[in-house]
Coordinates of all heavy atoms in Angstrom, one line a residue:
M238 N 76.5 84.8 94.9 CA 77.8 84.7 95.5 C 78.5 83.6 94.9 O 77.9 82.5 94.7 CB 77.8 84.6 97.0 CG 79.2 84.6 97.6 SD 79.3 84.5 99.3 CE 78.5 85.9 99.8
I239 N 79.8 83.7 94.5 CA 80.6 82.6 93.9 C 81.8 82.4 94.9 O 82.4 83.4 95.3 CB 81.2 83.0 92.7 CG1 80.1 83.3 91.7 CG2 82.1 81.9 92.1 CD1 80.5 83.8 90.3
V240 N 82.0 81.2 95.4 CA 83.0 80.7 96.2 C 84.1 80.2 95.3 O 83.8 79.2 94.6 CB 82.5 79.7 97.3 CG1 83.7 79.3 98.1 CG2 81.5 80.3 98.1
R241 N 85.3 80.6 95.4 CA 86.4 80.2 94.6 C 87.4 79.5 95.5 O 87.8 80.1 96.5 CB 87.1 81.4 93.9 CG 88.3 81.1 92.9 CD 88.7 82.4 92.4 NE 89.9 82.2 91.6 CZ 90.1 82.1 90.4 NH1 89.0 82.0 89.6 NH2 91.2 82.0 89.9
V242 N 87.8 78.2 95.1 CA 88.7 77.5 96.0 C 90.0 77.1 95.1 O 89.8 76.4 94.2 CB 88.1 76.2 96.5 CG1 89.1 75.4 97.4 CG2 86.9 76.6 97.4
S243 N 91.1 77.5 95.5 CA 92.3 77.2 94.9 C 93.1 76.2 95.9 O 93.4 76.7 97.1 CB 93.2 78.5 94.6 OG 92.6 79.3 93.7
E244 N 93.4 75.1 95.5 CA 94.1 74.1 96.4 C 95.6 73.9 95.9 O 95.8 73.6 94.6 CB 93.4 72.8 96.5 CG 94.2 71.8 97.3 CD 93.4 70.5 97.5 OE1 92.3 70.4 96.9 OE2 93.9 69.7 98.4
A245 N 96.5 74.1 96.7 CA 97.8 73.9 96.4 C 98.3 72.6 97.1 O 98.1 72.4 98.4 CB 98.7 75.1 96.9
R246 N 99.0 71.8 96.4 CA 99.6 70.6 96.9 C 101.1 71.0 97.1 O 101.8 71.3 96.1 CB 99.5 69.4 96.1 CG 98.1 68.9 96.1 CD 97.8 67.7 95.2 NE 98.3 68.0 93.8 CZ 99.2 67.4 93.1 NH1 99.7 66.2 93.6 NH2 99.6 67.7 91.9
V247 N 101.6 71.2 98.4 CA 102.8 71.8 98.7 C 103.9 70.7 99.0 O 103.7 69.7 99.6 CB 102.6 72.9 99.8 CG1 103.9 73.5 100.1 CG2 101.4 73.7 99.5
R248 N 105.1 71.1 98.5 CA 106.3 70.2 98.9 C 106.4 70.5 100.5 O 106.4 71.5 101.0 CB 107.5 70.8 98.4 CG 107.6 70.8 96.8 CD 108.9 71.3 96.2 NE 108.7 71.5 94.9 CZ 109.0 70.4 94.0 NH1 109.3 69.3 94.4 NH2 108.8 70.7 92.7
P249 N 106.3 69.3 101.2 CA 106.4 69.3 102.7 C 107.4 70.2 103.3 O 107.2 70.9 104.3 CB 106.4 67.8 103.1 CG 105.9 67.2 101.9 CD 106.3 67.9 100.7
E250 N 108.5 70.2 102.7 CA 109.8 70.9 103.3 C 109.6 72.4 103.1 O 110.3 73.2 103.6 CB 111.1 70.4 102.8 CG 111.3 70.7 101.2 CD 110.7 69.7 100.3 OE1 110.0 68.8 100.8 OE2 111.0 69.7 99.1
R251 N 108.7 72.8 102.2 CA 108.4 74.2 101.8 C 107.1 74.7 102.4 O 106.7 75.9 102.0 CB 108.5 74.5 100.3 CG 109.7 74.0 99.6 CD 111.0 74.6 99.9 NE 110.9 76.1 99.9 CZ 111.2 76.9 98.9 NH1 111.6 76.4 97.7 NH2 111.2 78.2 99.0
F252 N 106.4 73.9 103.2 CA 105.0 74.3 103.5 C 104.9 75.5 104.3 O 104.2 76.5 104.0 CB 104.4 73.1 104.3 CG 102.9 73.3 104.6 CD1 102.0 73.0 103.6 CD2 102.5 74.0 105.7 CE1 100.7 73.2 103.8 CE2 101.2 74.3 105.9 CZ 100.2 73.9 105.0
E253 N 105.8 75.8 105.3 CA 105.7 77.0 106.1 C 106.0 78.2 105.3 O 105.4 79.2 105.5 CB 106.6 76.8 107.4 CG 106.1 75.9 108.4 CD 104.6 76.3 108.9 OE1 104.3 77.4 109.1 OE2 103.8 75.3 109.0
A254 N 107.1 78.1 104.4 CA 107.5 79.3 103.6 C 106.3 79.6 102.7 O 106.1 80.8 102.4 CB 108.7 78.9 102.9
F255 N 105.7 78.6 102.1 CA 104.7 78.9 101.2 C 103.4 79.4 102.0 O 102.8 80.4 101.4 CB 104.2 77.6 100.5 CG 103.2 77.8 99.4 CD1 103.4 78.4 98.2 CD2 101.8 77.3 99.6 CE1 102.4 78.6 97.3 CE2 100.8 77.5 98.7 CZ 101.1 78.1 97.5
H256 N 103.0 79.0 103.0 CA 102.0 79.5 103.9 C 102.3 81.0 104.1 O 101.4 81.9 103.9 CB 101.9 78.7 105.1 CG 100.8 79.3 106.1 ND1 101.0 79.2 107.5 CD2 99.6 79.8 105.8 CE1 99.9 79.7 108.0 NE2 99.1 80.1 107.0
E257 N 103.5 81.3 104.6 CA 103.9 82.7 104.7 C 103.7 83.6 103.5 O 103.2 84.7 103.6 CB 105.2 82.8 105.3 CG 105.4 82.3 106.7 CD 106.7 82.2 107.3 OE1 107.6 82.7 106.6 OE2 107.0 81.5 108.4
L258 N 104.1 83.1 102.4 CA 104.0 83.8 101.0 C 102.5 84.1 100.8 O 102.3 85.2 100.4 CB 104.7 83.0 100.0 CG 104.5 83.5 98.6 CD1 105.5 84.6 98.3 CD2 104.7 82.3 97.6
I259 N 101.8 83.1 100.9 CA 100.3 83.3 100.5 C 99.7 84.3 101.5 O 99.0 85.1 101.0 CB 99.5 81.9 100.5 CG1 100.2 81.0 99.5 CG2 98.1 82.1 100.4 CD1 99.9 81.6 98.1
V260 N 99.9 84.2 102.7 CA 99.2 85.1 103.7 C 99.6 86.5 103.3 O 98.8 87.5 103.4 CB 99.5 84.7 105.1 CG1 99.1 85.8 106.1 CG2 98.8 83.3 105.5
A261 N 100.9 86.7 103.1 CA 101.5 88.0 102.8 C 100.8 88.5 101.6 O 100.5 89.7 101.4 CB 103.0 88.1 102.7
A262 N 100.7 87.7 100.5 CA 100.2 88.1 99.2 C 98.7 88.4 99.2 O 98.3 89.4 98.5 CB 100.4 87.0 98.2
V263 N 97.9 87.8 100.1 CA 96.4 87.9 100.0 C 95.9 88.9 101.1 O 94.7 89.3 101.1 CB 95.6 86.6 100.0 CG1 96.1 85.7 98.9 CG2 95.7 86.0 101.4
R264 N 96.8 89.3 102.0 CA 96.3 90.1 103.2 C 95.6 91.3 102.8 O 94.5 91.7 103.3 CB 97.6 90.5 104.0 CG 97.1 91.2 105.2 CD 98.4 91.5 106.1 NE 98.7 90.1 106.9 CZ 99.9 89.5 106.8 NH1 100.8 90.0 106.2 NH2 100.0 88.5 107.4
D265 N 96.0 92.0 101.7 CA 95.3 93.3 101.3 C 94.5 93.1 100.1 O 93.9 94.1 99.5 CB 96.3 94.4 101.0 CG 97.2 94.0 99.8 OD1 97.2 92.9 99.3 OD2 97.9 95.0 99.2
F266 N 94.1 91.9 99.8 CA 93.1 91.6 98.6 C 91.8 92.3 98.8 O 91.2 92.9 97.8 CB 92.8 90.2 98.4 CG 93.9 89.5 97.6 CD1 95.1 90.1 97.2 CD2 93.6 88.3 97.0 CE1 96.0 89.5 96.3 CE2 94.5 87.6 96.1 CZ 95.7 88.3 95.8
P267 N 91.1 92.4 100.0 CA 89.9 93.0 100.2 C 90.0 94.5 99.6 O 89.1 95.0 99.1 CB 89.5 92.8 101.5 CG 90.1 91.5 101.9 CD 91.4 91.6 101.2
A268 N 91.0 95.2 100.1 CA 91.1 96.6 99.8 C 91.4 96.9 98.3 O 90.9 97.8 97.8 CB 92.3 97.2 100.6
R269 N 92.0 95.9 97.6 CA 92.3 96.0 96.2 C 91.2 95.4 95.3 O 91.2 95.7 94.1 CB 93.6 95.2 95.9 CG 94.8 95.9 96.6 CD 96.1 95.3 96.1 NE 96.1 94.1 95.3 CZ 97.0 93.2 95.5 NH1 98.0 93.4 96.3 NH2 97.0 92.0 94.8
N270 N 90.3 94.5 95.9 CA 89.3 94.0 95.0 C 87.8 94.2 95.7 O 87.4 93.4 96.6 CB 89.5 92.4 94.9 CG 90.9 92.2 94.3 OD1 90.9 92.3 93.1 ND2 91.8 91.8 95.0
P271 N 87.1 95.2 95.4 CA 85.9 95.6 96.1 C 84.8 94.5 96.0 O 84.0 94.4 96.9 CB 85.5 96.9 95.4 CG 86.4 97.2 94.4 CD 87.6 96.2 94.3
G272 N 84.9 93.6 95.0 CA 83.9 92.5 95.0 C 84.3 91.4 95.8 O 83.4 90.4 95.8
L273 N 85.4 91.4 96.5 CA 85.7 90.3 97.4 C 85.0 90.4 98.6 O 85.3 91.4 99.5 CB 87.2 90.2 97.6 CG 87.8 89.1 98.5 CD1 87.4 87.8 98.0 CD2 89.2 89.3 98.6
V274 N 84.1 89.5 98.9 CA 83.2 89.6 100.1 C 84.0 89.1 101.3 O 83.9 89.7 102.4 CB 82.0 88.8 99.9 CG1 81.1 88.9 101.2 CG2 81.1 89.3 98.8
D275 N 84.7 88.0 101.2 CA 85.4 87.5 102.3 C 86.5 86.4 101.7 O 86.4 86.1 100.6 CB 84.4 86.7 103.2 CG 84.9 86.1 104.5 OD1 86.0 86.6 104.9 OD2 84.5 85.0 105.0
H276 N 87.5 86.1 102.6 CA 88.6 85.2 102.1 C 89.2 84.6 103.4 O 89.2 85.2 104.4 CB 89.5 85.8 101.1 CG 90.4 86.9 101.7 ND1 91.7 87.1 101.3 CD2 90.3 87.7 102.7 CE1 92.3 88.1 101.9 NE2 91.4 88.5 102.8
E277 N 89.9 83.5 103.1 CA 90.6 82.8 104.1 C 91.5 81.8 103.6 O 91.4 81.3 102.5 CB 89.7 82.2 105.1 CG 88.8 81.1 104.5 CD 87.6 80.5 105.4 OE1 87.7 80.7 106.7 OE2 86.6 80.1 104.8
V278 N 92.6 81.4 104.4 CA 93.5 80.5 104.0 C 93.4 79.2 105.0 O 93.2 79.5 106.2 CB 95.0 81.0 104.2 CG1 96.0 79.9 104.0 CG2 95.2 82.2 103.2
L279 N 93.2 78.1 104.4 CA 92.9 76.9 105.3 C 94.2 76.0 105.0 O 94.6 75.9 103.9 CB 91.7 76.1 104.8 CG 90.4 76.9 104.8 CD1 89.3 76.2 104.2 CD2 90.1 77.4 106.2
V280 N 94.7 75.5 106.1 CA 95.9 74.6 106.0 C 95.7 73.2 106.5 O 94.9 73.1 107.5 CB 97.1 75.3 106.7 CG1 97.5 76.6 106.1 CG2 96.8 75.5 108.2
A281 N 96.3 72.3 105.8 CA 96.3 71.0 106.3 C 97.7 70.4 106.1 O 98.1 69.8 105.1 CB 95.4 70.0 105.5
P282 N 98.7 70.8 107.0 CA 100.1 70.5 106.9 C 100.2 68.9 106.8 O 99.4 68.2 107.4 CB 100.8 71.0 108.0 CG 99.8 72.0 108.6 CD 98.4 71.6 108.2
P283 N 101.3 68.5 106.1 CA 102.3 69.2 105.5 C 102.2 69.4 104.0 O 103.2 69.9 103.4 CB 103.6 68.2 105.7 CG 102.8 66.8 105.6 CD 101.5 67.0 106.2
R284 N 101.1 69.2 103.4 CA 101.0 69.2 102.0 C 99.8 69.9 101.3 O 99.8 70.2 100.1 CB 100.8 67.8 101.4 CG 102.1 67.0 101.6 CD 102.1 65.8 100.9 NE 103.4 65.1 101.4 CZ 103.9 64.1 100.8 NH1 103.3 63.5 99.8 NH2 105.0 63.7 101.2
S285 N 98.8 70.5 102.1 CA 97.6 71.0 101.5 C 97.3 72.4 102.0 O 97.3 72.6 103.3 CB 96.4 70.1 101.7 OG 95.4 70.7 100.8
L286 N 97.1 73.3 101.1 CA 96.8 74.7 101.5 C 95.8 75.1 100.6 O 95.8 74.9 99.3 CB 98.0 75.7 101.4 CG 97.7 77.1 101.9 CD1 98.9 77.6 102.6 CD2 97.4 77.9 100.7
L287 N 94.6 75.6 101.1 CA 93.4 76.2 100.3 C 93.4 77.6 100.5 O 93.5 78.2 101.6 CB 92.1 75.4 100.7 CG 92.0 74.1 100.7 CD1 90.5 73.8 101.3 CD2 92.2 73.5 99.3
Y288 N 93.1 78.4 99.4 CA 92.8 79.8 99.5 C 91.3 79.8 99.1 O 91.0 79.5 97.9 CB 93.7 80.7 98.5 CG 93.2 82.0 98.5 CD1 93.2 82.8 99.7 CD2 92.8 82.7 97.5 CE1 92.8 84.1 99.8 CE2 92.3 84.0 97.4 CZ 92.3 84.7 98.6 OH 91.9 86.0 98.6
V289 N 90.4 80.2 99.9 CA 89.0 80.3 99.8 C 88.6 81.7 99.7 O 88.9 82.5 100.6 CB 88.3 79.5 100.8 CG1 86.8 79.6 100.6 CG2 88.7 78.1 100.9
S290 N 88.0 82.1 98.5 CA 87.4 83.5 98.4 C 86.0 83.5 98.0 O 85.6 82.7 97.3 CB 88.4 84.2 97.5 OG 88.4 83.6 96.1
R291 N 85.3 84.5 98.5 CA 83.9 84.6 98.3 C 83.7 85.9 97.5 O 84.1 87.0 98.0 CB 83.0 84.6 99.5 CG 83.1 83.3 100.2 CD 82.6 83.2 101.5 NE 82.9 81.9 102.4 CZ 84.2 81.6 102.8 NH1 85.1 82.5 102.8 NH2 84.2 80.5 103.4
W292 N 83.1 85.8 96.2 CA 82.9 87.0 95.4 C 81.5 87.3 95.2 O 80.6 86.5 95.0 CB 83.5 86.6 94.1 CG 85.1 86.4 94.3 CD1 85.7 85.3 94.6 CD2 86.0 87.4 94.1 NE1 87.0 85.5 94.7 CE2 87.3 86.7 94.4 CE3 86.1 88.8 93.8 CZ2 88.5 87.5 94.4 CZ3 87.2 89.4 93.8 CH2 88.5 88.8 94.1
R293 N 81.3 88.6 95.1 CA 79.8 89.1 95.0 C 79.3 88.7 93.7 O 78.1 88.4 93.5 CB 79.9 90.7 95.0 CG 78.6 91.3 95.1 CD 78.7 92.8 95.4 NE 79.8 93.3 94.4 CZ 80.6 94.3 94.7 NH1 80.5 94.9 96.0 NH2 81.5 94.9 93.9
S294 N 80.1 88.7 92.5 CA 79.4 88.3 91.2 C 80.6 87.9 90.3 O 81.6 87.9 90.6 CB 78.9 89.6 90.7 OG 79.8 90.5 90.4
E295 N 80.1 87.4 89.2 CA 81.0 86.9 88.2 C 81.9 88.0 87.6 O 83.0 87.9 87.3 CB 80.2 86.3 87.0 CG 81.1 85.7 85.9 CD 80.3 85.0 84.8 OE1 79.3 84.4 85.0 OE2 80.8 85.0 83.7
E296 N 81.2 89.2 87.5 CA 82.0 90.4 86.9 C 83.1 90.8 87.8 O 84.1 91.2 87.4 CB 81.0 91.6 86.9 CG 79.9 91.5 85.9 CD 78.7 90.6 86.2 OE1 78.5 90.4 87.3 OE2 78.1 90.1 85.3
D297 N 82.9 90.6 89.2 CA 84.0 90.9 90.1 C 85.1 89.9 90.0 O 86.3 90.2 90.2 CB 83.3 90.8 91.6 CG 82.5 92.0 91.8 OD1 82.8 93.1 91.5 OD2 81.4 91.7 92.5
L298 N 84.8 88.6 89.7 CA 85.8 87.6 89.5 C 86.5 87.9 88.1 O 87.8 87.7 88.2 CB 85.1 86.2 89.5 CG 85.3 85.3 90.7 CD1 84.5 84.1 90.7 CD2 86.8 85.1 91.0
V299 N 85.9 88.3 87.3 CA 86.5 88.6 85.9 C 87.6 89.8 86.2 O 88.6 89.7 85.7 CB 85.6 89.0 84.8 CG1 86.2 89.7 83.6 CG2 84.8 87.9 84.4
A300 N 87.2 90.8 86.9 CA 88.0 91.9 87.3 C 89.3 91.5 88.0 O 90.4 92.0 87.8 CB 87.3 93.0 88.1
Y301 N 89.1 90.4 88.8 CA 90.3 90.0 89.6 C 91.1 89.0 88.8 O 92.2 89.1 88.7 CB 89.8 89.2 90.9 CG 90.8 88.3 91.6 CD1 91.9 88.9 92.2 CD2 90.6 86.9 91.5 CE1 92.8 88.0 92.8 CE2 91.5 86.1 92.2 CZ 92.6 86.6 92.7 OH 93.5 85.8 93.4
A302 N 90.5 88.0 88.1 CA 91.3 86.8 87.5 C 91.2 86.7 86.2 O 91.9 86.0 85.4 CB 90.6 85.4 88.1
G303 N 90.5 87.7 85.4 CA 90.5 87.7 84.0 C 89.3 86.8 83.5 O 88.6 86.1 84.1
E304 N 89.2 87.0 82.1 CA 88.0 86.4 81.4 C 88.1 84.8 81.5 O 87.1 84.2 81.5 CB 88.1 86.6 79.9 CG 87.8 88.0 79.6 CD 86.4 88.4 79.9 OE1 85.5 87.5 79.7 OE2 86.1 89.6 80.2
N305 N 89.2 84.2 81.9 CA 89.3 82.7 81.9 C 89.3 82.4 83.4 O 90.0 81.3 83.7 CB 90.6 82.2 81.4 CG 90.5 82.4 79.9 OD1 89.5 82.1 79.2 ND2 91.6 82.8 79.2
W306 N 88.6 83.0 84.3 CA 88.5 82.8 85.8 C 88.1 81.4 86.1 O 88.5 81.0 87.1 CB 87.7 83.8 86.4 CG 86.3 83.8 86.0 CD1 85.7 84.5 85.1 CD2 85.2 83.2 86.7 NE1 84.4 84.3 85.1 CE2 84.1 83.4 86.1 CE3 85.2 82.2 87.8 CZ2 82.8 82.8 86.5 CZ3 84.0 81.7 88.2 CH2 82.9 82.1 87.5
R307 N 87.3 80.8 85.2 CA 86.7 79.5 85.6 C 87.8 78.4 85.5 O 87.7 77.4 86.3 CB 85.7 79.1 84.7 CG 84.4 80.0 84.8 CD 83.3 79.4 83.7 NE 82.3 80.4 83.7 CZ 81.2 80.5 84.4 NH1 81.2 79.8 85.5 NH2 80.3 81.4 84.2
D308 N 88.9 78.6 84.7 CA 89.8 77.5 84.3 C 91.1 77.9 84.7 O 92.0 77.0 84.9 CB 89.7 77.2 82.8 CG 88.3 76.8 82.5 OD1 87.7 75.9 83.1 OD2 87.9 77.3 81.4
E309 N 91.5 79.2 84.9 CA 93.0 79.5 85.1 C 93.1 80.1 86.5 O 92.6 81.2 86.8 CB 93.4 80.5 84.0 CG 93.4 79.9 82.7 CD 93.9 80.9 81.6 OE1 94.3 82.0 81.9 OE2 93.8 80.6 80.4
P310 N 93.9 79.4 87.3 CA 94.1 80.0 88.7 C 95.1 81.2 88.6 O 95.7 81.4 87.7 CB 94.8 78.9 89.5 CG 95.5 78.1 88.4 CD 94.5 78.2 87.2
V311 N 94.9 82.1 89.5 CA 95.9 83.3 89.6 C 97.0 82.7 90.4 O 97.0 82.1 91.5 CB 95.2 84.4 90.5 CG1 96.2 85.5 90.7 CG2 94.0 84.9 89.7
V312 N 98.2 82.9 89.7 CA 99.5 82.2 90.3 C 100.5 83.4 90.6 O 100.7 84.4 89.9 CB 100.1 81.4 89.3 CG1 101.4 80.8 89.8 CG2 99.1 80.2 88.9
L313 N 101.1 83.2 91.8 CA 102.2 84.3 92.2 C 103.4 84.0 91.6 O 103.8 82.8 91.3 CB 102.3 84.3 93.7 CG 101.1 84.6 94.6 CD1 101.4 84.3 96.0 CD2 100.6 86.0 94.3
P314 N 104.2 85.0 91.2 CA 105.5 84.7 90.7 C 106.3 83.7 91.6 O 106.5 84.0 92.7 CB 106.2 86.2 90.5 CG 105.0 87.1 90.6 CD 103.9 86.4 91.5
G315 N 107.0 82.7 91.0 CA 107.8 81.9 91.7 C 107.1 80.8 92.6 O 107.6 80.0 93.3
E316 N 105.8 80.8 92.5 CA 105.0 79.9 93.2 C 105.2 78.5 93.0 O 105.2 77.6 93.8 CB 103.4 80.3 93.1 CG 102.6 79.5 93.8 CD 101.1 80.0 93.6 OE1 100.9 81.1 94.0 OE2 100.4 79.2 93.0
E317 N 105.5 78.2 91.7 CA 105.7 76.7 91.3 C 106.8 76.1 92.0 O 106.8 74.9 92.2 CB 105.9 76.6 89.8 CG 107.3 77.2 89.3 CD 107.1 78.8 89.1 OE1 106.1 79.4 89.2 OE2 108.2 79.3 88.9
E318 N 107.8 76.8 92.6 CA 109.0 76.1 93.3 C 108.6 75.5 94.6 O 109.3 74.8 95.2 CB 110.1 77.1 93.4 CG 109.8 78.2 94.4 CD 111.0 79.2 94.5 OE1 111.3 79.9 93.5 OE2 111.5 79.4 95.6
Y319 N 107.3 75.9 95.1 CA 106.8 75.4 96.4 C 105.9 74.2 96.3 O 105.6 73.5 97.2 CB 106.0 76.5 97.1 CG 106.8 77.6 97.5 CD1 107.0 78.9 96.7 CD2 107.5 77.8 98.8 CE1 107.7 80.0 97.0 CE2 108.2 78.9 99.1 CZ 108.4 80.0 98.3 OH 109.0 81.1 98.6
L320 N 105.5 74.0 95.0 CA 104.2 73.1 94.7 C 104.7 71.7 94.1 O 105.7 71.7 93.3 CB 103.3 73.7 93.7 CG 102.7 75.1 94.2 CD1 101.8 75.7 93.2 CD2 102.2 75.0 95.6
L321 N 103.9 70.7 94.4 CA 104.1 69.4 93.8 C 103.5 69.3 92.4 O 103.8 68.4 91.7 CB 103.5 68.4 94.7 CG 104.2 68.2 96.1 CD1 103.3 67.4 97.0 CD2 105.6 67.6 96.0
G322 N 102.6 70.2 92.1 CA 101.9 70.2 90.8 C 101.2 71.5 90.7 O 101.1 72.3 91.6
P323 N 100.5 71.7 89.6 CA 99.6 72.8 89.3 C 98.4 73.0 90.4 O 98.0 72.0 91.0 CB 99.0 72.5 88.0 CG 99.7 71.4 87.4 CD 100.3 70.7 88.5
L324 N 98.1 74.2 90.6 CA 96.9 74.5 91.5 C 95.6 73.8 91.0 O 95.5 73.7 89.7 CB 96.7 76.0 91.7 CG 97.7 76.8 92.4 CD1 97.3 78.3 92.3 CD2 97.9 76.4 93.8
E325 N 94.9 73.4 91.9 CA 93.5 72.9 91.5 C 92.4 74.0 91.8 O 92.6 74.5 92.9 CB 93.2 71.6 92.3 CG 91.9 71.0 91.8 CD 91.6 69.6 92.4 OE1 92.7 68.9 92.7 OE2 90.4 69.4 92.6
L326 N 91.7 74.3 90.9 CA 90.8 75.4 91.0 C 89.3 74.9 90.9 O 88.9 74.1 90.0 CB 91.0 76.4 89.8 CG 90.2 77.6 89.9 CD1 90.4 78.5 91.1 CD2 90.6 78.5 88.6
R327 N 88.5 75.3 91.9 CA 87.0 75.0 91.8 C 86.2 76.2 92.2 O 86.6 77.1 92.9 CB 86.8 73.8 92.8 CG 87.4 72.5 92.4 CD 87.1 71.4 93.3 NE 87.4 71.6 94.7 CZ 88.5 71.2 95.3 NH1 89.5 70.7 94.7 NH2 88.7 71.5 96.6
H328 N 85.0 76.1 91.7 CA 84.0 77.2 92.0 C 82.6 76.7 92.5 O 82.3 75.6 91.9 CB 83.8 78.1 90.8 CG 85.0 78.7 90.3 ND1 85.9 78.3 89.4 CD2 85.5 80.0 90.7 CE1 86.9 79.1 89.2 NE2 86.7 80.1 90.0
F329 N 82.0 77.4 93.4 CA 80.8 76.9 94.0 C 79.9 78.1 94.1 O 80.3 79.3 94.2 CB 80.9 76.3 95.4 CG 81.9 75.1 95.4 CD1 83.3 75.4 95.6 CD2 81.6 73.8 95.2 CE1 84.3 74.4 95.7 CE2 82.4 72.8 95.3 CZ 83.8 73.0 95.5
T330 N 78.6 77.9 94.0 CA 77.6 78.8 94.3 C 76.9 78.4 95.5 O 76.8 77.2 95.9 CB 76.6 79.1 93.1 OG1 76.0 77.8 92.8 CG2 77.2 79.7 91.9
V331 N 76.4 79.3 96.3 CA 75.8 78.9 97.5 C 74.3 78.4 97.4 O 73.5 79.0 96.6 CB 75.6 80.2 98.4 CG1 75.0 79.9 99.8 CG2 77.2 80.7 98.9
A332 N 74.1 77.3 97.8 CA 72.7 76.6 97.8 C 71.9 76.8 99.1 O 72.4 76.5 100.1 CB 72.8 75.2 97.5
P333 N 70.8 77.5 99.0 CA 70.1 77.8 100.3 C 69.7 76.4 101.0 O 69.4 75.5 100.4 CB 68.8 78.5 99.8 CG 69.1 79.0 98.4 CD 70.2 78.1 97.8
L334 N 69.6 76.6 102.3 CA 69.3 75.4 103.1 C 67.7 75.3 103.3 O 67.2 74.3 104.0 CB 70.0 75.4 104.4 CG 71.5 75.4 104.3 CD1 72.2 75.5 105.6 CD2 71.8 73.9 103.6
D335 N 67.0 76.2 102.9 CA 65.6 76.0 103.1 C 64.7 75.4 102.1 O 65.2 75.0 101.1 CB 64.9 77.4 103.2 CG 65.1 78.5 102.2 OD1 65.8 78.1 101.3 OD2 64.8 79.6 102.3

């Protein structure tokens, strides 16, 4: 499993509007992306919003985000007008606790 974290630093005056935009955009992602195991939006108003998604495999991530999935975030049209800077993208694999 690969955990993908996209962090947006949001203009404080646009935070609520951006939050609504993201939730509306990702709501149907599981139906459109069979390799998406789980996802959630985490908020820390007034400036930080994380989109966390958990993917079954690298192949599933390639199908969603393209060949450059490790380095290039998926960006919605017009998203930049809400942000203080580019999205920060990180990936993690699950490490067993035993």
